[in-house]
Amino acid sequence: MQNKTEDSKTCTGVMISARAYTSILAEALSRDSLETGGILLGHYKSGIWYIVEATDPGVETFHSEIHSVMDEKYHNHLYPVLSRIYREDLYLMGLWHRHPGSLDTLSFDDHETNRKYAEVIGNGTLSILLNLDPEPRLTCYYLDFNKTGKYYRPPIYIGDRKFRGTGYLNLASPDELFRRQAQMKVEISCNP
């Protein structure tokens, strides 16, 4: 499924913030040898996908050595909660999950999940695999669902220095939060 001879024009590289990478490692290590994962939130611009936040799987989850199920209701709640603390709203970028051992290829279930995410996102989807064998290793797949239907393997870069000049890591000021109050109430289903 992966395409080694061509490059994707839609996703040419993936930048992961220090916070997102730390979140991924903390979740994976907390589950020991079990599969786990979460969603990726951020921005894309000029073929670069910037991952600002990575979540845990949620509360109502299932984990085994070969499969995990995330909590969709939890993610639907967490997405606007995380997005509102940044100056610019975050977008759903895809998902990450841990595979056991050194398995760094996508399973049948992964392909189905990626297809569903790509349909929702509308610009393809990222699927980042974490392996701990024994050092952490990330493998990124980008599914260019709408244009080519193929997987590509863009390079991954970790660290906040890759975000310089983007403003994507800037937090919302108190004044901005007050201006967004009505929007935030709607997002968490509060009565205005």
Side-chain angles (χ1 to χ4, degrees):
M1 279 272 184
Q2 93 190 39
N3 188 332
K4 293 183 180 179
T5 60
E6 300 174 43
D7 291 327
S8 169
K9 291 178 177 38
T10 309
C11 182
T12 59
V14 176
M15 310 301 170
I16 301 177
S17 73
R19 177 182 163 105
Y21 182 65
T22 301
S23 295
I24 290 169
L25 282 179
E27 171 57 26
L29 292 170
S30 73
R31 301 283 179 183
D32 197 22
S33 63
L34 301 178
E35 190 168 306
T36 190
I39 61 172
L40 303 168
L41 303 172
H43 302 272
Y44 40 83
K45 181 179 179 181
S46 302
I48 305 297
W49 290 48
Y50 295 89
I51 305 304
V52 175
E53 291 279 349
T55 73
D56 66 324
V59 179
E60 300 291 326
T61 63
F62 170 81
H63 305 272
S64 75
E65 290 184 356
I66 58 170
H67 184 69
S68 67
V69 177
M70 295 189 287
D71 185 342
E72 186 176 326
K73 185 176 179 182
Y74 170 82
H75 287 138
N76 287 337
H77 163 76
L78 193 57
Y79 179 5
V81 168
L82 288 173
S83 186
R84 69 183 175 208
I85 67 172
Y86 289 94
R87 187 168 291 155
E88 296 187 42
D89 286 339
L90 301 177
Y91 299 97
L92 180 62
M93 310 296 283
L95 66 147
W96 74 272
H97 67 285
R98 178 184 181 189
H99 268 188
S102 296
L103 181 64
D104 62 3
T105 57
L106 299 170
S107 69
F108 176 79
D109 287 345
D110 295 338
H111 291 298
E112 287 300 306
T113 301
N114 291 337
R115 184 187 59 73
K116 290 175 187 173
Y117 271 73
E119 286 177 1
V120 169
I121 294 169
N123 193 27
T125 190
L126 294 179
S127 186
I128 296 178
L129 301 178
L130 169 67
N131 296 99
L132 299 171
D133 53 5
E135 296 299 316
R137 179 170 47 86
L138 297 176
T139 306
C140 183
Y141 292 91
Y142 167 71
L143 174 57
D144 191 359
F145 187 71
N146 294 328
K147 294 183 180 173
T148 66
K150 296 179 184 178
Y151 279 99
Y152 298 90
R153 293 212 18 211
I156 300 174
Y157 304 95
I158 300 169
D160 292 351
R161 70 186 181 287
K162 300 295 185 178
F163 286 74
R164 281 190 199 137
T166 66
Y168 295 150
L169 299 180
N170 293 342
L171 299 177
S173 71
D175 288 341
E176 289 170 311
L177 293 176
F178 278 106
R179 282 193 299 273
R180 293 188 207 161
Q181 186 176 12
Q183 173 192 345
M184 292 188 301
K185 284 182 175 182
V186 169
E187 289 171 346
I188 62 167
S189 301
C190 287
N191 294 325

